[in-house]
């Protein structure tokens, strides 16, 4: 979650909610049993017959492409349903997050609300019965056919808020994001190297770049969280996707101290000690690192899709992006996620119209409108990719991961304190202050305490 607080990403500061929150279900009352959960045959989809409605929508789609897309979609929705007037309140993510808890438990409850899907936010609200179970709506509107399972899992919880990634659906997102490998085609050509198709080729490329006097991988990890975007894809080479999902979602049943996880941490430690990540990656800020990459430092940059447009503005067609090679399961698996999901509060006055609105803004036509306005739609991504440029690579990579592979969770989803724990551990592994075995145990201590206490 604390992963991209510098650009127009929809969840830029989501980790703040995690740090202050207690474990879902630990102090949250009776759980979500009282929350509305209409069955599919109870869902009213005839919105035109509902009479005059004012639909209150709270969102944080305030930045250029985001705001343009949502405004266009609201206009189209009201044109299709002239009996519905959308009253939109847009604000920054921080402001919306600060108001959400009070609004959900008070009298001023919107009909549609963007809710950060991390444990400290959506998980806690589910546990308190403050969000509508959308499973029946999903069946009535065909959302399970429209969205890939690994995407829907990012917005699903058990009704007590304890199990993340399974259970019922509590939100629906419009946009996607994915971590992969950026590279300069010209630099690979100079080194007589090809874009890697396997992880062994990645490792060989790193060695060849170092031998040629180049910095193999650009990383600025002063902020701690950027290393998680390097480690997440790397981990998938050693650890099966199901295990990573269990760990990343903070669900019981996995172990950070496994041989495979230690092997992944060992490779990261080797990259750190050998200088593959630079002379002092822990001393370089994220927002200083990627501009250095655009200016020629580093052969690879392993990071998120949100970096593409700004780096392309400098590098042009020389900038390329690829999904990481297939992982331990033989299929592509890498860290990624969605934009902030749209949810329906339990106390919403107009849930039927709210569901129709969410369906409309996540429809196939909506995906095209989002792409036209510069966003990366969570569905139809490859189909709607630009004809050329790095975003073509990014769109196609996200589509392949989300539909044919596994979109792995951000590892800091796992527990309310995991962003801090994992961020510090990654710095220590890279800097040689902690062995891979010690690091794995520290991660297990945080994960184990949470899963055993939930």
């Amino acid at each position: 979650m604390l992963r991209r607080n510098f650009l127009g990403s929809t969840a830029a500061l989501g980790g703040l909610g995690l740090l202050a929150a207690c474990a879902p279900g630990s102090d949250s009352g009776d759980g979500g049993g009282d929350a509305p959960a209409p069955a599919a045959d109870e869902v009213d989809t005839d919105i035109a017959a509902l009479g005059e409605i004012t639909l209150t929508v709270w969102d944080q789609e305030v930045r250029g492409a985001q705001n343009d897309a949502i405004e266009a979609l609201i206009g189209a929705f009201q044109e299709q349903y002239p009996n519905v007037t959308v009253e939109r309140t847009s604000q920054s993510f921080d402001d919306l997050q600060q108001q959400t808890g009070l609004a959900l438990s008070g009298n001023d409850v919107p009909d549609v609300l963007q809710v950060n899907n991390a444990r400290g936010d959506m998980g806690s609200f589910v546990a308190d019965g403050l969000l509508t179970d959308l499973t029946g709506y999903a069946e009535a509107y065909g959302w399970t056919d429209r969205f890939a399972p690994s995407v829907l899992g990012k917005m699903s919880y058990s009704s007590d808020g304890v199990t993340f990634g399974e259970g019922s659906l509590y939100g629906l997102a419009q946009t996607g994001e994915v971590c992969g490998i950026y590279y300069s085609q010209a630099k690979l050509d100079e080194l007589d190297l090809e874009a890697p198709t396997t992880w062994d080729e990645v490792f060989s490329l790193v060695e060849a770049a170092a031998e040629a006097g180049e910095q193999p991988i650009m990383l600025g990890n002063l902020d701690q969280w950027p290393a998680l975007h390097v480690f997440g894809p790397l981990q998938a080479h050693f650890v099966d996707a199901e295990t990573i999902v269990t760990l990343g979602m903070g669900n019981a049943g996995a172990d950070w101290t496994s041989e495979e996880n230690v092997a992944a941490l060992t490779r990261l430690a080797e990259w750190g000690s050998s200088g593959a990540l630079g002379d002092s990656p822990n001393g370089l800020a994220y927002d200083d690192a990627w501009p250095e990459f655009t200016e020629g430092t580093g052969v690879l940059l392993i990071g998120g899709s949100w970096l593409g447009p700004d780096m392309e503005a400098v590098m042009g067609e020389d900038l390329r992006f690829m999904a990481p090679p297939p992982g331990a399961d033989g299929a592509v698996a890498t860290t990624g996620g969605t934009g902030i999901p749209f949810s329906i509060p339990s106390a919403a006055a107009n849930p039927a119209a709210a569901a129709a609105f969410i369906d409309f803004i996540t429809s196939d036509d909506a995906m095209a409108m989002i792409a036209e306005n510069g966003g990366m739609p969570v569905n139809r991504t490859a189909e709607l990719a630009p004809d050329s440029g790095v975003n073509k690579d990014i769109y196609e990579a996200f589509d392949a991961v989300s539909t044919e592979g596994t979109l792995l969770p951000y590892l800091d989803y796992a527990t309310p304190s995991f962003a801090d724990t994992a961020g510090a551990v990654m710095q220590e592994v890279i800097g040689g202050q902690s062995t891979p075995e010690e690091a794995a145990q520290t991660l297990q201590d945080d994960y184990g305490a949470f899963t055993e206490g939930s």
Side-chain angles (χ1 to χ4, degrees), residues 55 111 132 137 344-345 348-356:
L55 188 72
D111 296 302
T132 299
Y137 293 108
I344 302 176
N350 302 292

Side-chain angles (χ1 to χ4, degrees), residues 177-269:
E177 54 194 40
V178 64
C179 290
I181 301 174
Y182 290 97
Y183 61 94
S184 159
Q185 185 61 59
K187 184 154 285 192
L188 289 189
D189 292 343
E190 289 174 11
L191 297 172
D192 197 25
L193 297 172
E194 300 287 338
T197 59
T198 68
W199 273 103
D200 284 341
E201 291 179 4
V202 173
F203 303 145
S204 296
L205 188 155
V206 168
E207 292 177 2
E211 290 173 0
E214 294 278 357
Q215 179 178 321
I217 302 170
M218 169 54 70
L219 174 64
N221 194 45
L222 179 64
D223 314 80
Q224 295 191 338
W225 56 266
L228 291 171
H229 300 168
V230 176
F231 180 74
L234 175 65
Q235 183 187 25
H237 168 60
F238 297 92
V239 184
D240 66 273
E242 183 178 355
T243 297
I244 296 175
V245 170
T246 300
L247 290 169
M249 294 295 201
N251 297 324
D255 190 336
W256 270 103
T257 64
S258 70
E259 179 181 346
E260 293 81 7
N261 278 308
V262 171
L265 289 164
T266 299
R267 177 65 67 166
L268 184 66

Side-chain angles (χ1 to χ4, degrees), residues 273-369:
S273 63
S274 69
L277 302 174
D279 293 336
S280 182
N282 288 333
L284 181 65
Y286 185 76
D287 282 339
D288 293 330
W290 63 264
E292 286 192 19
F293 180 77
T294 67
E295 294 166 2
T297 301
V299 177
L300 307 177
L301 186 152
I302 304 175
S305 51
W306 51 90
L307 284 173
D310 277 0
M311 294 205 298
E312 185 181 40
V314 179
M315 298 176 67
E317 294 183 0
D318 183 44
L319 179 67
R320 300 298 306 273
F321 179 91
M322 56 173 282
D329 301 326
V332 63
T334 189
T335 304
T338 70
I340 301 280
F342 288 82
S343 299
I344 302 176
S346 295
N350 302 292
F357 178 80
I358 292 173
D359 177 68
F360 189 90
I361 66 172
T362 61
S363 66
D364 285 348
D365 288 343
M367 295 296 111
M369 195 173 294

Side-chain angles (χ1 to χ4, degrees), residues 67 83 91 203 216 247 316 364 398:
N67 185 70
N83 60 310
Q91 53 199 306
F203 303 145
L247 290 169
D364 285 348
F398 178 83

